[in-house]
Amino acid sequence: MTHTDDLAARAPLATLRPGRISPMRTVPEHIERPEYMFHSGPEVVTASDIKDAKTVEKIRRAGKLAAQALEVVGAAIAPGVTSDELDRIGHDFLIAHNAYPSCLGYQGFPKSLCTSINEVICHGIPDDRPLQEGDIINVDITAYLDGVHGDTCAMFGVGNIDEESRLLIERTKEALRRGIQAVRPGREINVIGRVIERYAKRFGYGVVRDYTGHGVGEAFHSGLIIPHYDAAPAYSTLMEPGMVFTIEPMLTLGAIEWEQWEDNWTVVTVDRSRSAQFEHTIVVTEEGAQILTLA
Ligand code: MF3
Ligand code: CO
Ligand code: CO
């Protein structure tokens, strides 16, 4: 292998800089807002994490819309396109389908989607930086429809990407698949993270611990926590049919330690190594899990 080939195979280390954030987008009056838009501070929703069949169907509808928005946004990703433009596309898709973009105004988050590029682990704010060939970007979309949230995210490469980043993305998607496969009623929640961490460790990837999956439905983040690492004997709650939560592993090429930009949102790896994430909202069934965020 030549020196040049070797460089092309490795993920670049670069430092992303905050860009300019456009004004908050508007949502037509007829679209129902989540309760956190009516007061300051954390969400206040009291609902069980075990949903009845009717609620599961509502979450499936919200989840499907979020997944469709993710496809539409993903199709627009190319060198030169800004994450603000992706935010506009996702926002317009959701409001055109009468859904509220759950991120917009959530604990003060200023945009409708999260766009997390390269070393950003999660919660990147869409801005005016044009995407560059070789970037990797996570787009995280949550739709609020008919009183419930559906939450999903995926990774996209911008033009040609290096092999190390390509593999990180492929294996993070596989880690999510394995986490979902591990879901069974009667098993402890911590089984999910055990399976994800064991798989990620094969490749020496970092498994982010401080951001987790969560119960979702009437609440965006219900308080139920789904770790992506082996947390046993903690998080021993038993999974039950009807339980709805997200699984959303974040894997890194290096450290899992993180710091936050001065915007109080953007979470980056301290060593600036790249990070990837995929997310689905799932419901626990008698047989295992069903994904509620399919397009
Ligand atoms: N969708 C993210 C999650 O998976 C949460 C984003 S909250 C925001 O939990 F405020 F940053 F939008
Ligand atoms: Co989530
Ligand atoms: Co999400």
Side-chain angles (χ1 to χ4, degrees), residues 1 6 8 11 15 25 28 58 60 143 166 173 213 223 232 256 277:
M1 196 188 260
D6 188 48
T15 302
R25 294 181 208 286
K58 290 204 288 179
R60 195 193 306 277
R166 191 191 66 74
K173 190 173 189 178
I256 59 166
Q277 180 183 28

Side-chain angles (χ1 to χ4, degrees), residues 238-249:
L238 299 183
M239 294 183 247
E240 279 184 59
M243 215 181 237
V244 174
F245 52 80
T246 74
I247 307 178
E248 47 183 300

Side-chain angles (χ1 to χ4, degrees), residues 138-157:
N138 174 279
V139 179
D140 193 334
I141 305 186
T142 306
Y144 182 72
L145 184 70
D146 202 7
V148 298
H149 301 269
D151 186 5
T152 183
C153 79
M155 295 298 300
F156 303 89

Side-chain angles (χ1 to χ4, degrees), residues 102-104 106-107 109 111 113-114 123 140-142 151 212 214 220-221 246 248 265 277 279:
S102 308
C103 292
L104 186 66
Y106 178 76
Q107 296 190 17
F109 191 82
K111 290 278 127 194
L113 326 180
C114 292
H123 302 168
D140 193 334
I141 305 186
T142 306
D151 186 5
T212 65
H214 52 93
F220 190 173
H221 297 96
T246 74
E248 47 183 300
W265 281 106
Q277 180 183 28
E279 173 177 30

Side-chain angles (χ1 to χ4, degrees), residues 1 10 21 29 45 49 68 82 87 93 111 123-124 132 149 155 219 222 229 242 244 249 278:
M1 196 188 260
R10 301 294 304 275
I21 299 168
E29 280 305 325
V45 177
D49 282 302
Q68 289 171 338
T82 66
D87 181 75
F93 182 91
K111 290 278 127 194
H123 302 168
Q132 294 174 15
H149 301 269
M155 295 298 300
S222 76
Y229 59 95
V244 174
F278 283 85

Side-chain angles (χ1 to χ4, degrees), residues 3-256:
H3 182 64
T4 321
D5 284 341
D6 188 48
L7 278 180
R10 301 294 304 275
L13 271 187
T15 302
L16 200 72
R17 300 250 163 246
R20 254 194 295 270
I21 299 168
S22 66
M24 216 162 149
R25 294 181 208 286
T26 57
V27 176
E29 280 305 325
H30 74 270
I31 293 178
E32 184 195 342
R33 270 82 171 145
E35 70 78 31
Y36 49 76
M37 295 308 292
F38 298 97
H39 61 83
S40 59
E43 232 181 332
V44 273
V45 177
T46 34
S48 167
D49 282 302
I50 324 259
K51 313 299 184 191
D52 59 25
K54 212 179 117 226
T55 307
V56 170
E57 287 323 302
K58 290 204 288 179
I59 301 171
R60 195 193 306 277
R61 280 198 292 278
K64 184 185 178 80
L65 208 54
Q68 289 171 338
L70 189 56
E71 279 191 354
V72 170
V73 170
I77 291 174
V81 175
T82 66
S83 47
D84 184 65
E85 172 66 3
L86 301 179
D87 181 75
R88 188 193 62 75
I89 293 168
H91 177 93
D92 287 351
F93 182 91
L94 291 178
I95 65 171
H97 292 85
N98 298 313
Y100 185 91
S102 308
C103 292
L104 186 66
Y106 178 76
Q107 296 190 17
F109 191 82
K111 290 278 127 194
S112 303
L113 326 180
C114 292
T115 51
S116 300
I117 299 169
N118 300 342
E119 71 267 26
V120 181
I121 295 173
C122 61
H123 302 168
I125 304 173
D127 66 19
D128 67 351
R129 174 188 177 275
L131 293 171
Q132 294 174 15
E133 174 108 16
D135 283 345
I136 61 170
I137 177 172
N138 174 279
V139 179
D140 193 334
I141 305 186
T142 306
Y144 182 72
L145 184 70
D146 202 7
V148 298
H149 301 269
D151 186 5
T152 183
C153 79
M155 295 298 300
F156 303 89
V158 180
N160 283 317
I161 63 170
D162 64 90
E163 183 64 3
E164 200 179 10
S165 298
R166 191 191 66 74
L167 285 170
L168 175 69
I169 291 174
E170 179 181 291
R171 292 163 176 166
T172 305
K173 190 173 189 178
E174 173 65 12
L176 169 59
R177 196 192 66 78
R178 288 174 182 236
I180 294 170
Q181 281 297 330
V183 170
R184 281 289 183 289
R187 284 188 181 166
E188 296 182 4
I189 294 274
N190 59 38
V191 168
I192 298 167
R194 180 146 62 250
V195 164
I196 291 170
E197 182 168 39
R198 200 193 299 124
Y199 177 70
K201 288 295 163 196
R202 281 196 208 173
F203 311 106
Y205 294 154
V207 180
V208 172
R209 300 169 80 94
D210 295 340
Y211 293 87
T212 65
H214 52 93
V216 64
E218 294 89 342
F220 190 173
H221 297 96
S222 76
L224 175 70
I225 288 173
I226 316 295
H228 303 114
Y229 59 95
D230 187 358
Y235 300 96
S236 57
T237 303
L238 299 183
M239 294 183 247
E240 279 184 59
M243 215 181 237
V244 174
F245 52 80
T246 74
I247 307 178
E248 47 183 300
M250 286 143 273
L251 305 184
T252 73
L253 290 175
I256 59 166

